[in-house]
Amino acid sequence: MELNKVKLKSFQVLGWFSVITGIIALALLNISMLSGYDLSFMEQLSFWISSILISGLIALFGRNSRSLGLWGIGIAVYLGIFTAVIFILGWVIMPFP
């Protein structure tokens, strides 16, 4: 009985981890773009996206944490698409610096 509660709680913790990590990643991306400084965050963006995706996918297996997992996966997909679109637009404007 107690193990079932721990399992449900771990799914919720992973769901909240994916959402909070996604929000922090979005905030760091905005700060780096608005300030104009090259933060080390941009070099680790793939690590952030993969950790958000993995924890979101694990959170999908719990019934109570399914919405949190979907939010985390949505944020990670948005970060990936946004980064790809910004790269493509920058490359179209100036392909060879």
Side-chain angles (χ1 to χ4, degrees):
M1 189 76 166
E2 293 295 322
L3 186 59
N4 193 18
K5 289 182 183 180
V6 171
K7 187 173 81 170
L8 291 176
K9 203 57 124 166
S10 64
F11 285 136
Q12 286 183 341
V13 167
L14 281 172
W16 279 111
F17 174 75
S18 68
V19 171
I20 291 172
T21 307
I23 291 172
I24 290 172
L26 285 173
L28 287 175
L29 181 66
N30 285 334
I31 289 170
S32 67
M33 290 184 69
L34 290 174
S35 66
Y37 295 117
D38 189 23
L39 299 176
S40 62
F41 165 75
M42 295 306 288
E43 297 162 357
Q44 301 172 351
L45 188 63
S46 63
F47 171 73
W48 282 78
I49 292 174
S50 63
S51 66
I52 296 167
L53 277 176
I54 290 171
S55 60
L57 286 173
I58 293 172
L60 283 178
F61 292 114
R63 182 171 298 188
N64 295 334
S65 64
R66 192 165 291 149
S67 63
L68 294 172
L70 288 174
W71 272 99
I73 291 171
I75 292 172
V77 167
Y78 175 78
L79 278 170
I81 290 173
F82 179 79
T83 305
V85 167
I86 292 299
F87 175 76
I88 290 170
L89 287 176
W91 190 73
V92 166
I93 292 171
M94 185 180 290
F96 301 108

